[in-house]
Amino acid sequence: MQFIDQSIELLKDNGYKITGPRVAVLNALATAHIPLSPYDIEERIPENIPVNVVTIYRVLDVFEQLGIVHRILTKHGYVRCDFEEKPGCHHFAICDRCEQVSEFVQKKECDTEMRIPSQCHFQSAGHFAEVTGLCEACSR
Amino acid sequence: MQFIDQSIELLKDNGYKITGPRVAVLNALATAHIPLSPYDIEERIPENIPVNVVTIYRVLDVFEQLGIVHRILTKHGYVRCDFEEKPGCHHFAICDRCEQVSEFVQKKECDTEMRIPSQCHFQSAGHFAEVTGLCEACSR
DNA sequence: GTTGGTGCAAAGGATTTGCAACTTG
DNA sequence: CAAGTTGCAAATCCTTTGCACCAAC
């Protein structure tokens, strides 16, 4: 599993420990196609090894700092970040009706940042773009 | 004041009434260069004609539906939208250190949506892009 | 005069914090 | 073993709701 393995690498590289709760949250995120709230994630974790919501909050904080997840403003809020994109650049298509989210990868040039007017003197580190509209299923 | 006048037009055109609280919130937003939470906005409204926070929440809901403001996930959250862009397309540069936000207008083609891989079959209606990094002042 | 908007009080959620106990490397 | 993590309880903060009163058109 690309996403899980790379996330674990990232945690190790930054001196974080690989714990049950962290792996459980990664598993929940890996299979999700819609944004998940901390409580959503709690529900998706097997009952035999429950993880406290407070812990999920803390795990997500770390994940967000490492760029493993990105939080968006839907009722449910965390989406996982693909690792195929240019670091720091993420593009999500969010369906206005069903809230399904898919990250689309911009293989070649992604020049959103190049387009910042030069007089802004803004030193960009990355970007998140949310495209809104209707997904294939909902537009029919 | 471009922003205020156009917002009032928009409210009228959609059958909303022009009330004291709505104008007060517009004024607060018009001069802000950082995202404002409902409570931030409350503080920026002159004490002689106070507006209840609950009302501010409701005003912001309407404004967001009309595209007058956009909410982002900073501690403080609402930024105003410029009217110069292509409808539904907004680009914000947010400083990681001071949280200063500036909307930059992409005058010519803005093809973020064109870049959605065609196999996604996503029918886009608009997009918001948040570019992160350091503003001029903070990068020195 | 109507309809929509506002304020107040209170309910409901979401998120954060402190601290003791437990795991990972 | 030490440092980092977790669970629990509770505090705190954010957001929403219901209802009576008020204001804009």
Side-chain angles (χ1 to χ4, degrees):
Chain A
M1 199 88 226
Q2 192 71 258
F3 169 71
I4 295 178
D5 293 343
Q6 297 202 40
S7 299
I8 289 178
E9 273 314 297
L10 210 48
L11 284 165
K12 283 183 185 168
D13 292 351
N14 288 78
Y16 290 102
K17 294 176 177 174
I18 308 306
T19 66
R22 284 180 182 155
V23 174
V25 173
L26 284 177
N27 279 318
L29 290 167
T31 55
H33 291 287
I34 48 171
L36 300 176
S37 72
Y39 284 92
D40 292 335
I41 293 172
E42 185 187 31
E43 286 178 7
R44 290 182 174 229
I45 292 176
E47 308 96 357
N48 44 333
I49 35 150
V51 176
N52 194 285
V53 197
V54 176
T55 300
I56 297 177
Y57 271 98
R58 292 193 268 225
V59 168
L60 288 172
D61 277 349
V62 171
F63 284 8
E64 193 162 27
Q65 281 176 35
L66 296 180
I68 293 172
V69 297
H70 177 61
R71 194 175 189 186
I72 58 174
L73 262 174
T74 332
K75 284 183 284 297
H76 308 266
Y78 287 91
V79 291
R80 66 194 173 81
C81 293
D82 266 324
F83 285 98
E84 289 173 44
E85 298 227 29
K86 206 170 71 176
C89 301
H90 292 281
H91 308 79
F92 303 98
I94 305 166
C95 178
D96 287 331
R97 191 175 312 163
C98 72
E99 289 199 4
Q100 173 112 1
V101 169
S102 46
E103 179 163 12
F104 57 91
V105 178
Q106 301 199 334
K107 300 249 165 63
K108 299 251 178 70
E109 16 49 69
C110 171
D111 54 0
T112 296
E113 290 153 47
M114 314 275 291
R115 289 155 176 276
I116 304 173
S118 58
Q119 67 269 26
C120 290
H121 297 290
F122 192 85
Q123 206 173 90
S124 68
H127 64 262
F128 290 94
E130 301 180 13
V131 177
T132 57
L134 294 176
C135 73
E136 188 178 9
C138 288
S139 63
R140 273 188 274 117
Chain B
M1 198 92 225
Q2 192 73 257
F3 168 72
I4 294 178
D5 293 342
Q6 296 202 40
S7 298
I8 289 178
E9 272 315 297
L10 209 48
L11 284 165
K12 283 183 186 168
D13 291 351
N14 289 79
Y16 291 101
K17 294 176 178 173
I18 308 306
T19 66
R22 284 180 182 156
V23 174
V25 172
L26 285 177
N27 279 317
L29 290 167
T31 56
H33 290 287
I34 49 170
L36 301 177
S37 72
Y39 285 90
D40 292 334
I41 292 172
E42 186 188 29
E43 285 179 7
R44 289 182 174 229
I45 291 177
E47 309 94 358
N48 44 334
I49 32 148
V51 177
N52 194 285
V53 197
V54 176
T55 300
I56 296 177
Y57 271 98
R58 293 192 268 226
V59 168
L60 289 171
D61 278 348
V62 171
F63 284 7
E64 194 163 24
Q65 281 176 36
L66 296 180
I68 294 171
V69 297
H70 176 60
R71 194 175 189 185
I72 59 175
L73 262 174
T74 329
K75 284 183 285 296
H76 308 266
Y78 288 90
V79 290
R80 67 194 172 80
C81 294
D82 266 325
F83 285 99
E84 290 174 41
E85 297 227 28
K86 205 169 74 178
C89 300
H90 292 282
H91 307 80
F92 303 99
I94 305 166
C95 178
D96 288 331
R97 190 173 313 160
C98 71
E99 288 199 2
Q100 174 114 359
V101 169
S102 46
E103 178 162 11
F104 58 91
V105 178
Q106 301 199 333
K107 301 248 165 63
K108 300 252 176 68
E109 15 49 69
C110 171
D111 54 1
T112 296
E113 290 152 48
M114 313 277 290
R115 290 154 174 276
I116 304 174
S118 58
Q119 68 268 27
C120 290
H121 299 290
F122 191 86
Q123 207 173 90
S124 69
H127 64 263
F128 289 95
E130 301 179 13
V131 177
T132 56
L134 294 177
C135 73
E136 189 178 10
C138 289
S139 64
R140 274 188 274 114

